[in-house]
């Protein structure tokens, strides 16, 4: 079984001093563990100072976004090339990027290609809106988002990618999906990857669930078949919540199966 991957997406929160304080607290609470990989995604502005403060055996870093060109006259943007060597992962196509900043499927394709060109692992976020779910379009939406994101990805590269299933209606709403809904989506995603790259690649791709995760529901998703970890927004800003979730992941890896065991 793969390691769990637990990613904290801090979004547009915390100045440099606040971010440093949170990292300091997380260092105290979280232990190095071979079965759980912990990644934090601070704002672009704080990545560099946070990197200097971080014990990289405990945490890896992710950027929340980057532009697909490597350099040039793109005022206000940062590139995957600039992030290379500073972070291991980059979030691509987060629903807030797609919906607030109008990122298109084509932008996501180009960003995934830029990530691989610069030796970074993309965490590709996919998920349906409430309207799409009610119209029974979830499967089609996931298909379109996954297939276009992978348009330029080779069969070697695909094994490294991470896909985060984040139903848009569950992000920041407190309206968490059920584990069964996450399992269904993970199956759809793996089926699409299998059709493109074969069975082995479909098994190796890591799939996360994200959307209103907190420490009381995290274990339900970590025990769900085909889910390899979590992408956590709001709860990742709270060191007690985030470290509790990491500890739940550790306990599940240590073989504790029922909710009573890991709560
Ligand atoms: P949330 O955000 O945990 O606050 O719902 C998840 C995300 O946007 O990645």
């Amino acid at each position: 079984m793969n390691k769990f991957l637990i990613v904290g997406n801090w979004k547009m929160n915390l100045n440099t001093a606040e971010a440093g304080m949170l990292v300091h607290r997380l260092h105290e609470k979280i232990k190095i563990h071979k079965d759980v990989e912990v990644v934090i995604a601070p704002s672009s502005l704080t990545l560099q100072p946070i990197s200097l403060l971080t014990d990289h055996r405990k945490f890896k870093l992710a950027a929340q976004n980057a532009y697909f060109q490597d350099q040039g006259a793109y005022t206000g943007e940062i590139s995957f090339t600039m992030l290379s060597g500073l972070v291991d992962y980059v979030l691509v196509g987060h629903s807030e990027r797609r919906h607030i900043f109008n990122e298109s499927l084509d932008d996501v394709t180009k960003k995934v290609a830029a990530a691989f060109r610069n030796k970074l692992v993309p965490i590709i976020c996919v998920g349906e809106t409430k309207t799409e779910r009610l119209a029974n379009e979830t499967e089609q939406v996931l298909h379109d988002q996954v297939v276009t994101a992978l348009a330029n990805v080779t069969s070697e590269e695909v094994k490294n990618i991470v896909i985060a299933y984040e139903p848009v209606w569950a992000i920041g709403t407190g309206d968490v999906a059920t584990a069964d809904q996450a399992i269904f989506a993970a199956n759809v995603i793996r089926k699409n990857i299998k059709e493109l790259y074969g069975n082995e690649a479909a098994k190796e791709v890591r799939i996360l669930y994200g959307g209103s995760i907190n420490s009381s529901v995290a274990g339900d998703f970590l025990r769900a078949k085909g889910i390899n970890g979590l992408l956590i927004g709001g709860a990742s800003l709270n060191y007690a919540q985030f470290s509790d979730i990491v500890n739940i992941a550790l306990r599940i890896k240590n073989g504790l199966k029922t909710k009573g065991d890991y709560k």
Side-chain angles (χ1 to χ4, degrees):
M1 198 184 180
N2 280 334
K3 290 178 181 192
F4 279 138
L5 178 60
I6 308 290
V7 185
N9 173 13
W10 293 358
K11 307 193 181 186
M12 198 178 72
N13 292 294
L14 310 181
N15 64 24
T16 307
E18 292 162 340
M21 185 68 80
L22 180 52
V23 166
H24 178 69
R25 292 238 159 89
L26 291 174
H27 272 103
E28 288 174 348
K29 284 265 184 185
I30 292 177
K31 298 185 184 65
I32 300 170
H33 199 282
K34 66 178 175 26
D35 291 328
V36 180
E37 183 176 343
V38 183
V39 177
I40 49 178
S43 74
S44 305
L45 184 67
T46 54
L47 273 172
Q48 188 87 54
I50 291 297
S51 175
L52 297 174
L53 290 176
T54 298
D55 177 344
H56 293 270
R57 295 166 307 166
K58 283 197 177 180
F59 309 113
K60 294 197 170 151
L61 293 178
Q64 298 174 14
N65 178 42
Y67 191 52
F68 53 76
Q69 299 285 1
D70 289 343
Q71 78 256 320
Y74 303 102
T75 302
E77 295 297 320
I78 61 163
S79 70
F80 288 82
T81 313
M82 291 167 171
L83 292 167
S84 183
L86 179 61
V87 301
D88 291 286
Y89 295 93
V90 183
L91 300 184
V92 175
H94 188 280
S95 86
E96 286 148 18
R97 302 294 320 166
R98 294 183 196 259
H99 295 284
I100 303 173
F101 299 98
N102 298 320
E103 261 184 33
S104 66
L105 291 172
D106 186 47
D107 291 333
V108 173
T109 310
K110 289 178 177 151
K111 290 185 177 199
V112 171
F116 281 114
R117 193 165 66 237
N118 289 288
K119 312 258 175 311
L120 297 166
V121 176
I123 301 177
I124 304 166
C125 305
V126 297
E128 80 289 357
T129 62
K130 186 98 193 169
T131 315
E132 289 161 345
R133 170 162 286 272
L134 293 175
N136 275 328
E137 289 170 4
T138 301
E139 219 170 321
Q140 186 63 45
V141 169
L142 293 177
H143 169 272
D144 294 351
Q145 291 178 343
V146 169
V147 170
T148 52
L150 300 181
N152 298 320
V153 173
T154 68
S155 50
E156 265 320 294
E157 289 167 343
V158 78
K159 295 178 188 162
N160 290 321
I161 61 162
V162 180
I163 298 191
Y165 169 59
E166 298 208 297
V168 178
W169 47 270
I171 297 177
T173 57
D175 195 8
V176 67
T178 64
D180 283 345
Q181 287 169 329
I183 292 171
F184 173 83
N187 285 338
V188 170
I189 292 165
R190 285 195 208 279
K191 186 176 96 196
N192 291 321
I193 293 171
K194 184 176 166 187
E195 280 163 13
L196 293 170
Y197 298 96
N199 208 11
E200 202 201 324
K203 277 199 218 145
E204 284 197 36
V205 166
R206 288 168 291 172
I207 298 183
L208 314 182
Y209 169 78
S212 293
I213 282 289
N214 57 46
S215 57
S216 22
V217 295
D220 298 342
F221 291 91
L222 291 171
R223 285 182 303 124
K225 198 165 168 359
I227 303 292
N228 309 105
L230 301 168
L231 178 52
I232 304 161
S236 71
L237 295 169
N238 177 318
Y239 77 95
Q241 276 277 331
F242 190 68
S243 50
D244 274 358
I245 294 170
V246 173
N247 285 330
I248 289 167
L250 285 180
R251 276 180 270 156
I252 291 176
K253 278 293 179 194
N254 286 338
L256 303 180
K257 299 238 162 19
T258 65
K259 195 155 185 157
D261 286 333
Y262 60 73
K263 261 199 125 176

